[in-house]
Every structure is written in structure tokens, then in C-alpha cells.
Amino acid sequence: MRTLRYVTADVFTPEPFTGNQLAVVFGAEGLSTDTLQAITREFNYAESTFVFAPDTPGTTRRVRIFTPELEVPFAGHPTLGTAHVLVATGEVKPTASEVAAGEMTVVLGENVGPVPVRIRLAQGVPVHGQFTTAQLPEERVEVSDLDALASTLSLSASDFVGGAHTPTAVSCGLPFLIMPLTSVDAVRRARLNMDAWQRVLQGTWAAWPMVFAMESRDSTEALAAHVRGCDIRARVFVPGSTVPEDPATGSANAALAGYLAARTPRDGVLRWDVAQGVEMGRPSRLSIEAHKSHGVISTIKVGGATVIMAEGTLVVPAH
């Protein structure tokens, strides 16, 4: 048997018991993919990561990301949370100049390629992270039947914004179906209809829906302090996975940043704050950013806070 060290964290939140849960596992060198998958199922979080020595020049660590069902090439909250855990636990130490500057960069080698994470420091302690996607947004329109798409979330076609903001599949490394809705109320009303989802979206390139609406600044809704004042309310559904709805999805929000920037008629650094997980009781805040020049998107970034929740050891077979 082998003993592995692990750390758990809540990601995209400054508050314990909110955000998206993550397990970060160290010392898994030589273990089979099947064993890594079994460990991930044991934690049963949306994702777990396994940290290894770097195998590509310019990267800080090699990281593999698993859901309880499969390994994925890229995911946002595992990227952000793993980088935070590496610095917070001293696995990666900031230099004196980085402490003085109040920031450092951790580059994670993932299956999608190198992913840089800028860590903001306060007296050498990580307080915020922001990753830059390895891939720029790619768009596809696979399903154009609005009634069929609406049925997957128990909505009607009239709940869609329409026009230039029609439902569109977008990926910055992991595809999602971006579905703009007319109101936060429509976001709240969304309910996954598995029969309709299997009929309309299962097996497509972007089978996981993300619904969102622009937040009203004069809303009287009672919200957790850390998600008040956001520009956008969003929900992400991941049918077929252990958790059918995700409380904070960095990869989907990266796709959302690309979607919005492509439809914003100005250049510059475009920023939005997104509240996700509110309806699940796991409120999360994600800051998304797109850099655009002469109508071309050059950079997508997603940021947020992370809170370490637990540390321990895991005993597994040595193969």
C-alpha cells in the first residue's frame, strides 16, 4: 500500500463551505490511470487533480484533472485551486522579489497545454488567482431549434435573448453550450430535463448547457456578501456526470468571456463578474476578462479566490 497526501479546497470563493470543491493529490507517481480515476471517485467532487513534477520546460508542475467519470484536458476551478494550494502549502514558494511585488505566476502543464496562473500575494500568502486559457474561444452552432434547446432546461424559446445572442457552443479547451436568457428569473427557473437533453444534446460537441442573464443592479434578492454586485447570474449543467449542476465552472466562464467579447462592439480589456452556484447553495464569484484589439480576441482570463478546507492522507494500492 502507498500513502498519498491530499488537500481539499473551495474554489471561486473567499468563504468556506461555498464555491466549488476540489481535491488536490500529491505523490501519485507511477499509479495507473485506473487508480487515479478510482481515487477521484472516492472523493466524489466535481474534479480532483494529481500533481507531478514538471515534464515540459517552462512549467511549474504537471497536473492531471479527473472528474469521477473521466480525465479532462482542462478545467477552470481545478486549475485555479491547484495553483493556490501549491503556493499556500509551500509546495511552490514565492521568491523574495515576488513577495515584495505581491504576485507570482505558476504555470501548470495540463493536457490542453501550459496554463499560467497569476497569484496575488499578501505578505507571501496567496489571496487571489487568475488563469489565462491555453486556447482562444472556438464557436460552433450545432443545434438551431430553439424550442428543442429550451426543452432541455424546462424553459420556452421566449426565454432566450435571441438575435446576435443566440445559443452557441463555445470552447476555450472544454466545450459548453452558451445560452443567454432574458432574465435572472429565467435562470432560476431552469430545470434539467434529462429526456429532452438526451434527445437534443447528448453526443454533441458541447453537450453541457450554461445559462446566464445580466443581473439587475436594483435587485432586492438576498445574496451572500461575496456574490453581491455581480454583472451576470449563471448556472452550468453537466448531465451525465456525478453532479448534474456545477457551482463554479472556470472553463464555462472562459467560454462565456469569449462569447460576450465577440458580441461587444468595442476593443480593450472587457471584464464581467459572474455569480454562479447561487441556486445550489454554493455561491461562487468568478471574474472573467477578454482582451480584444481590432475586433480580434487575443486573451481570455478567469479569476477568483480559493479557501483551503482540509489536509490528510490517503492509502491506496501501490500499483
mmCIF file with all atom_site columns, all heavy atoms in Angstrom, residues 127-144:
data_model
loop_
_atom_site.group_PDB
_atom_site.id
_atom_site.type_symbol
_atom_site.label_atom_id
_atom_site.label_alt_id
_atom_site.label_comp_id
_atom_site.label_asym_id
_atom_site.label_entity_id
_atom_site.label_seq_id
_atom_site.pdbx_PDB_ins_code
_atom_site.Cartn_x
_atom_site.Cartn_y
_atom_site.Cartn_z
_atom_site.occupancy
_atom_site.B_iso_or_equiv
_atom_site.pdbx_formal_charge
_atom_site.auth_seq_id
_atom_site.auth_comp_id
_atom_site.auth_asym_id
_atom_site.auth_atom_id
_atom_site.pdbx_PDB_model_num
ATOM 1   N N   . VAL A 1 127 ? -3.921  35.144 -2.114  1.00 0.00 ? 127 VAL A N   1
ATOM 2   C CA  . VAL A 1 127 ? -5.258  35.643 -1.786  1.00 0.00 ? 127 VAL A CA  1
ATOM 3   C C   . VAL A 1 127 ? -6.185  35.648 -3.001  1.00 0.00 ? 127 VAL A C   1
ATOM 4   O O   . VAL A 1 127 ? -7.405  35.790 -2.855  1.00 0.00 ? 127 VAL A O   1
ATOM 5   C CB  . VAL A 1 127 ? -5.198  37.062 -1.174  1.00 0.00 ? 127 VAL A CB  1
ATOM 6   C CG1 . VAL A 1 127 ? -4.518  37.023 0.177   1.00 0.00 ? 127 VAL A CG1 1
ATOM 7   C CG2 . VAL A 1 127 ? -4.491  38.038 -2.101  1.00 0.00 ? 127 VAL A CG2 1
ATOM 8   N N   . HIS A 1 128 ? -5.626  35.513 -4.190  1.00 0.00 ? 128 HIS A N   1
ATOM 9   C CA  . HIS A 1 128 ? -6.451  35.544 -5.409  1.00 0.00 ? 128 HIS A CA  1
ATOM 10  C C   . HIS A 1 128 ? -5.646  34.933 -6.542  1.00 0.00 ? 128 HIS A C   1
ATOM 11  O O   . HIS A 1 128 ? -4.408  35.036 -6.572  1.00 0.00 ? 128 HIS A O   1
ATOM 12  C CB  . HIS A 1 128 ? -6.822  36.994 -5.757  1.00 0.00 ? 128 HIS A CB  1
ATOM 13  C CG  . HIS A 1 128 ? -7.792  37.129 -6.893  1.00 0.00 ? 128 HIS A CG  1
ATOM 14  N ND1 . HIS A 1 128 ? -7.395  37.167 -8.217  1.00 0.00 ? 128 HIS A ND1 1
ATOM 15  C CD2 . HIS A 1 128 ? -9.137  37.238 -6.900  1.00 0.00 ? 128 HIS A CD2 1
ATOM 16  C CE1 . HIS A 1 128 ? -8.466  37.289 -8.989  1.00 0.00 ? 128 HIS A CE1 1
ATOM 17  N NE2 . HIS A 1 128 ? -9.540  37.340 -8.219  1.00 0.00 ? 128 HIS A NE2 1
ATOM 18  N N   . GLY A 1 129 ? -6.335  34.272 -7.463  1.00 0.00 ? 129 GLY A N   1
ATOM 19  C CA  . GLY A 1 129 ? -5.671  33.696 -8.624  1.00 0.00 ? 129 GLY A CA  1
ATOM 20  C C   . GLY A 1 129 ? -6.403  34.047 -9.898  1.00 0.00 ? 129 GLY A C   1
ATOM 21  O O   . GLY A 1 129 ? -7.617  34.301 -9.889  1.00 0.00 ? 129 GLY A O   1
ATOM 22  N N   . GLN A 1 130 ? -5.665  34.056 -11.012 1.00 0.00 ? 130 GLN A N   1
ATOM 23  C CA  . GLN A 1 130 ? -6.270  34.316 -12.320 1.00 0.00 ? 130 GLN A CA  1
ATOM 24  C C   . GLN A 1 130 ? -5.515  33.518 -13.367 1.00 0.00 ? 130 GLN A C   1
ATOM 25  O O   . GLN A 1 130 ? -4.309  33.667 -13.528 1.00 0.00 ? 130 GLN A O   1
ATOM 26  C CB  . GLN A 1 130 ? -6.215  35.805 -12.662 1.00 0.00 ? 130 GLN A CB  1
ATOM 27  C CG  . GLN A 1 130 ? -6.893  36.165 -13.980 1.00 0.00 ? 130 GLN A CG  1
ATOM 28  C CD  . GLN A 1 130 ? -6.661  37.614 -14.366 1.00 0.00 ? 130 GLN A CD  1
ATOM 29  O OE1 . GLN A 1 130 ? -5.507  38.034 -14.534 1.00 0.00 ? 130 GLN A OE1 1
ATOM 30  N NE2 . GLN A 1 130 ? -7.723  38.381 -14.510 1.00 0.00 ? 130 GLN A NE2 1
ATOM 31  N N   . PHE A 1 131 ? -6.227  32.627 -14.081 1.00 0.00 ? 131 PHE A N   1
ATOM 32  C CA  . PHE A 1 131 ? -5.566  31.846 -15.118 1.00 0.00 ? 131 PHE A CA  1
ATOM 33  C C   . PHE A 1 131 ? -5.868  32.402 -16.497 1.00 0.00 ? 131 PHE A C   1
ATOM 34  O O   . PHE A 1 131 ? -6.912  33.035 -16.720 1.00 0.00 ? 131 PHE A O   1
ATOM 35  C CB  . PHE A 1 131 ? -5.932  30.360 -15.032 1.00 0.00 ? 131 PHE A CB  1
ATOM 36  C CG  . PHE A 1 131 ? -7.364  30.019 -15.360 1.00 0.00 ? 131 PHE A CG  1
ATOM 37  C CD1 . PHE A 1 131 ? -7.792  29.880 -16.673 1.00 0.00 ? 131 PHE A CD1 1
ATOM 38  C CD2 . PHE A 1 131 ? -8.281  29.788 -14.345 1.00 0.00 ? 131 PHE A CD2 1
ATOM 39  C CE1 . PHE A 1 131 ? -9.101  29.557 -16.971 1.00 0.00 ? 131 PHE A CE1 1
ATOM 40  C CE2 . PHE A 1 131 ? -9.597  29.457 -14.629 1.00 0.00 ? 131 PHE A CE2 1
ATOM 41  C CZ  . PHE A 1 131 ? -10.012 29.343 -15.945 1.00 0.00 ? 131 PHE A CZ  1
ATOM 42  N N   . THR A 1 132 ? -4.942  32.177 -17.397 1.00 0.00 ? 132 THR A N   1
ATOM 43  C CA  . THR A 1 132 ? -5.109  32.530 -18.809 1.00 0.00 ? 132 THR A CA  1
ATOM 44  C C   . THR A 1 132 ? -5.285  31.241 -19.588 1.00 0.00 ? 132 THR A C   1
ATOM 45  O O   . THR A 1 132 ? -4.487  30.311 -19.449 1.00 0.00 ? 132 THR A O   1
ATOM 46  C CB  . THR A 1 132 ? -3.879  33.290 -19.332 1.00 0.00 ? 132 THR A CB  1
ATOM 47  O OG1 . THR A 1 132 ? -3.696  34.478 -18.552 1.00 0.00 ? 132 THR A OG1 1
ATOM 48  C CG2 . THR A 1 132 ? -4.041  33.666 -20.802 1.00 0.00 ? 132 THR A CG2 1
ATOM 49  N N   . THR A 1 133 ? -6.320  31.147 -20.393 1.00 0.00 ? 133 THR A N   1
ATOM 50  C CA  . THR A 1 133 ? -6.593  29.905 -21.107 1.00 0.00 ? 133 THR A CA  1
ATOM 51  C C   . THR A 1 133 ? -5.496  29.607 -22.131 1.00 0.00 ? 133 THR A C   1
ATOM 52  O O   . THR A 1 133 ? -4.915  30.516 -22.721 1.00 0.00 ? 133 THR A O   1
ATOM 53  C CB  . THR A 1 133 ? -7.951  29.954 -21.828 1.00 0.00 ? 133 THR A CB  1
ATOM 54  O OG1 . THR A 1 133 ? -7.934  30.989 -22.818 1.00 0.00 ? 133 THR A OG1 1
ATOM 55  C CG2 . THR A 1 133 ? -9.076  30.203 -20.834 1.00 0.00 ? 133 THR A CG2 1
ATOM 56  N N   . ALA A 1 134 ? -5.243  28.327 -22.326 1.00 0.00 ? 134 ALA A N   1
ATOM 57  C CA  . ALA A 1 134 ? -4.256  27.907 -23.326 1.00 0.00 ? 134 ALA A CA  1
ATOM 58  C C   . ALA A 1 134 ? -4.817  28.004 -24.734 1.00 0.00 ? 134 ALA A C   1
ATOM 59  O O   . ALA A 1 134 ? -4.054  28.073 -25.705 1.00 0.00 ? 134 ALA A O   1
ATOM 60  C CB  . ALA A 1 134 ? -3.801  26.476 -23.046 1.00 0.00 ? 134 ALA A CB  1
ATOM 61  N N   . GLN A 1 135 ? -6.147  28.013 -24.850 1.00 0.00 ? 135 GLN A N   1
ATOM 62  C CA  . GLN A 1 135 ? -6.793  28.091 -26.155 1.00 0.00 ? 135 GLN A CA  1
ATOM 63  C C   . GLN A 1 135 ? -7.731  29.281 -26.203 1.00 0.00 ? 135 GLN A C   1
ATOM 64  O O   . GLN A 1 135 ? -8.414  29.594 -25.224 1.00 0.00 ? 135 GLN A O   1
ATOM 65  C CB  . GLN A 1 135 ? -7.577  26.809 -26.452 1.00 0.00 ? 135 GLN A CB  1
ATOM 66  C CG  . GLN A 1 135 ? -6.709  25.564 -26.569 1.00 0.00 ? 135 GLN A CG  1
ATOM 67  C CD  . GLN A 1 135 ? -7.529  24.321 -26.885 1.00 0.00 ? 135 GLN A CD  1
ATOM 68  O OE1 . GLN A 1 135 ? -8.720  24.387 -27.150 1.00 0.00 ? 135 GLN A OE1 1
ATOM 69  N NE2 . GLN A 1 135 ? -6.879  23.167 -26.847 1.00 0.00 ? 135 GLN A NE2 1
ATOM 70  N N   . LEU A 1 136 ? -7.792  29.940 -27.359 1.00 0.00 ? 136 LEU A N   1
ATOM 71  C CA  . LEU A 1 136 ? -8.735  31.030 -27.562 1.00 0.00 ? 136 LEU A CA  1
ATOM 72  C C   . LEU A 1 136 ? -10.106 30.453 -27.927 1.00 0.00 ? 136 LEU A C   1
ATOM 73  O O   . LEU A 1 136 ? -10.221 29.304 -28.331 1.00 0.00 ? 136 LEU A O   1
ATOM 74  C CB  . LEU A 1 136 ? -8.224  31.957 -28.668 1.00 0.00 ? 136 LEU A CB  1
ATOM 75  C CG  . LEU A 1 136 ? -6.961  32.746 -28.310 1.00 0.00 ? 136 LEU A CG  1
ATOM 76  C CD1 . LEU A 1 136 ? -6.473  33.558 -29.504 1.00 0.00 ? 136 LEU A CD1 1
ATOM 77  C CD2 . LEU A 1 136 ? -7.222  33.667 -27.113 1.00 0.00 ? 136 LEU A CD2 1
ATOM 78  N N   . PRO A 1 137 ? -11.165 31.254 -27.783 1.00 0.00 ? 137 PRO A N   1
ATOM 79  C CA  . PRO A 1 137 ? -12.517 30.728 -27.987 1.00 0.00 ? 137 PRO A CA  1
ATOM 80  C C   . PRO A 1 137 ? -12.743 30.199 -29.405 1.00 0.00 ? 137 PRO A C   1
ATOM 81  O O   . PRO A 1 137 ? -12.358 30.830 -30.390 1.00 0.00 ? 137 PRO A O   1
ATOM 82  C CB  . PRO A 1 137 ? -13.416 31.937 -27.720 1.00 0.00 ? 137 PRO A CB  1
ATOM 83  C CG  . PRO A 1 137 ? -12.575 32.901 -26.971 1.00 0.00 ? 137 PRO A CG  1
ATOM 84  C CD  . PRO A 1 137 ? -11.166 32.661 -27.360 1.00 0.00 ? 137 PRO A CD  1
ATOM 85  N N   . GLU A 1 138 ? -13.374 29.043 -29.455 1.00 0.00 ? 138 GLU A N   1
ATOM 86  C CA  . GLU A 1 138 ? -13.837 28.458 -30.715 1.00 0.00 ? 138 GLU A CA  1
ATOM 87  C C   . GLU A 1 138 ? -15.347 28.326 -30.636 1.00 0.00 ? 138 GLU A C   1
ATOM 88  O O   . GLU A 1 138 ? -15.869 27.826 -29.644 1.00 0.00 ? 138 GLU A O   1
ATOM 89  C CB  . GLU A 1 138 ? -13.208 27.079 -30.931 1.00 0.00 ? 138 GLU A CB  1
ATOM 90  C CG  . GLU A 1 138 ? -13.719 26.358 -32.163 1.00 0.00 ? 138 GLU A CG  1
ATOM 91  C CD  . GLU A 1 138 ? -13.234 24.927 -32.272 1.00 0.00 ? 138 GLU A CD  1
ATOM 92  O OE1 . GLU A 1 138 ? -12.415 24.508 -31.433 1.00 0.00 ? 138 GLU A OE1 1
ATOM 93  O OE2 . GLU A 1 138 ? -13.704 24.214 -33.191 1.00 0.00 ? 138 GLU A OE2 1
ATOM 94  N N   . GLU A 1 139 ? -16.055 28.787 -31.661 1.00 0.00 ? 139 GLU A N   1
ATOM 95  C CA  . GLU A 1 139 ? -17.519 28.764 -31.663 1.00 0.00 ? 139 GLU A CA  1
ATOM 96  C C   . GLU A 1 139 ? -18.054 27.800 -32.721 1.00 0.00 ? 139 GLU A C   1
ATOM 97  O O   . GLU A 1 139 ? -17.487 27.664 -33.799 1.00 0.00 ? 139 GLU A O   1
ATOM 98  C CB  . GLU A 1 139 ? -18.098 30.155 -31.937 1.00 0.00 ? 139 GLU A CB  1
ATOM 99  C CG  . GLU A 1 139 ? -17.909 31.140 -30.819 1.00 0.00 ? 139 GLU A CG  1
ATOM 100 C CD  . GLU A 1 139 ? -18.829 32.362 -30.966 1.00 0.00 ? 139 GLU A CD  1
ATOM 101 O OE1 . GLU A 1 139 ? -19.677 32.372 -31.894 1.00 0.00 ? 139 GLU A OE1 1
ATOM 102 O OE2 . GLU A 1 139 ? -18.696 33.297 -30.157 1.00 0.00 ? 139 GLU A OE2 1
ATOM 103 N N   . ARG A 1 140 ? -19.179 27.163 -32.398 1.00 0.00 ? 140 ARG A N   1
ATOM 104 C CA  . ARG A 1 140 ? -19.915 26.337 -33.353 1.00 0.00 ? 140 ARG A CA  1
ATOM 105 C C   . ARG A 1 140 ? -21.405 26.463 -33.045 1.00 0.00 ? 140 ARG A C   1
ATOM 106 O O   . ARG A 1 140 ? -21.789 26.669 -31.895 1.00 0.00 ? 140 ARG A O   1
ATOM 107 C CB  . ARG A 1 140 ? -19.540 24.849 -33.247 1.00 0.00 ? 140 ARG A CB  1
ATOM 108 C CG  . ARG A 1 140 ? -18.090 24.518 -33.482 1.00 0.00 ? 140 ARG A CG  1
ATOM 109 C CD  . ARG A 1 140 ? -17.893 22.997 -33.410 1.00 0.00 ? 140 ARG A CD  1
ATOM 110 N NE  . ARG A 1 140 ? -16.480 22.631 -33.375 1.00 0.00 ? 140 ARG A NE  1
ATOM 111 C CZ  . ARG A 1 140 ? -16.044 21.374 -33.266 1.00 0.00 ? 140 ARG A CZ  1
ATOM 112 N NH1 . ARG A 1 140 ? -16.927 20.374 -33.192 1.00 0.00 ? 140 ARG A NH1 1
ATOM 113 N NH2 . ARG A 1 140 ? -14.739 21.116 -33.231 1.00 0.00 ? 140 ARG A NH2 1
ATOM 114 N N   . VAL A 1 141 ? -22.232 26.353 -34.069 1.00 0.00 ? 141 VAL A N   1
ATOM 115 C CA  . VAL A 1 141 ? -23.677 26.247 -33.886 1.00 0.00 ? 141 VAL A CA  1
ATOM 116 C C   . VAL A 1 141 ? -24.075 24.859 -34.353 1.00 0.00 ? 141 VAL A C   1
ATOM 117 O O   . VAL A 1 141 ? -24.032 24.551 -35.538 1.00 0.00 ? 141 VAL A O   1
ATOM 118 C CB  . VAL A 1 141 ? -24.443 27.328 -34.667 1.00 0.00 ? 141 VAL A CB  1
ATOM 119 C CG1 . VAL A 1 141 ? -25.950 27.118 -34.511 1.00 0.00 ? 141 VAL A CG1 1
ATOM 120 C CG2 . VAL A 1 141 ? -24.057 28.718 -34.157 1.00 0.00 ? 141 VAL A CG2 1
ATOM 121 N N   . GLU A 1 142 ? -24.418 24.004 -33.403 1.00 0.00 ? 142 GLU A N   1
ATOM 122 C CA  . GLU A 1 142 ? -24.774 22.616 -33.719 1.00 0.00 ? 142 GLU A CA  1
ATOM 123 C C   . GLU A 1 142 ? -26.281 22.400 -33.763 1.00 0.00 ? 142 GLU A C   1
ATOM 124 O O   . GLU A 1 142 ? -26.787 21.652 -34.595 1.00 0.00 ? 142 GLU A O   1
ATOM 125 C CB  . GLU A 1 142 ? -24.177 21.670 -32.668 1.00 0.00 ? 142 GLU A CB  1
ATOM 126 C CG  . GLU A 1 142 ? -22.668 21.621 -32.645 1.00 0.00 ? 142 GLU A CG  1
ATOM 127 C CD  . GLU A 1 142 ? -22.182 20.660 -31.592 1.00 0.00 ? 142 GLU A CD  1
ATOM 128 O OE1 . GLU A 1 142 ? -22.337 20.958 -30.392 1.00 0.00 ? 142 GLU A OE1 1
ATOM 129 O OE2 . GLU A 1 142 ? -21.649 19.597 -31.952 1.00 0.00 ? 142 GLU A OE2 1
ATOM 130 N N   . VAL A 1 143 ? -26.991 23.052 -32.830 1.00 0.00 ? 143 VAL A N   1
ATOM 131 C CA  . VAL A 1 143 ? -28.439 22.886 -32.738 1.00 0.00 ? 143 VAL A CA  1
ATOM 132 C C   . VAL A 1 143 ? -29.074 24.265 -32.832 1.00 0.00 ? 143 VAL A C   1
ATOM 133 O O   . VAL A 1 143 ? -28.789 25.140 -32.012 1.00 0.00 ? 143 VAL A O   1
ATOM 134 C CB  . VAL A 1 143 ? -28.849 22.203 -31.420 1.00 0.00 ? 143 VAL A CB  1
ATOM 135 C CG1 . VAL A 1 143 ? -30.361 22.007 -31.366 1.00 0.00 ? 143 VAL A CG1 1
ATOM 136 C CG2 . VAL A 1 143 ? -28.120 20.878 -31.245 1.00 0.00 ? 143 VAL A CG2 1
ATOM 137 N N   . SER A 1 144 ? -29.922 24.483 -33.824 1.00 0.00 ? 144 SER A N   1
ATOM 138 C CA  . SER A 1 144 ? -30.538 25.800 -34.025 1.00 0.00 ? 144 SER A CA  1
ATOM 139 C C   . SER A 1 144 ? -32.021 25.822 -33.672 1.00 0.00 ? 144 SER A C   1
ATOM 140 O O   . SER A 1 144 ? -32.646 26.884 -33.710 1.00 0.00 ? 144 SER A O   1
ATOM 141 C CB  . SER A 1 144 ? -30.353 26.247 -35.479 1.00 0.00 ? 144 SER A CB  1
ATOM 142 O OG  . SER A 1 144 ? -30.885 25.284 -36.369 1.00 0.00 ? 144 SER A OG  1
#
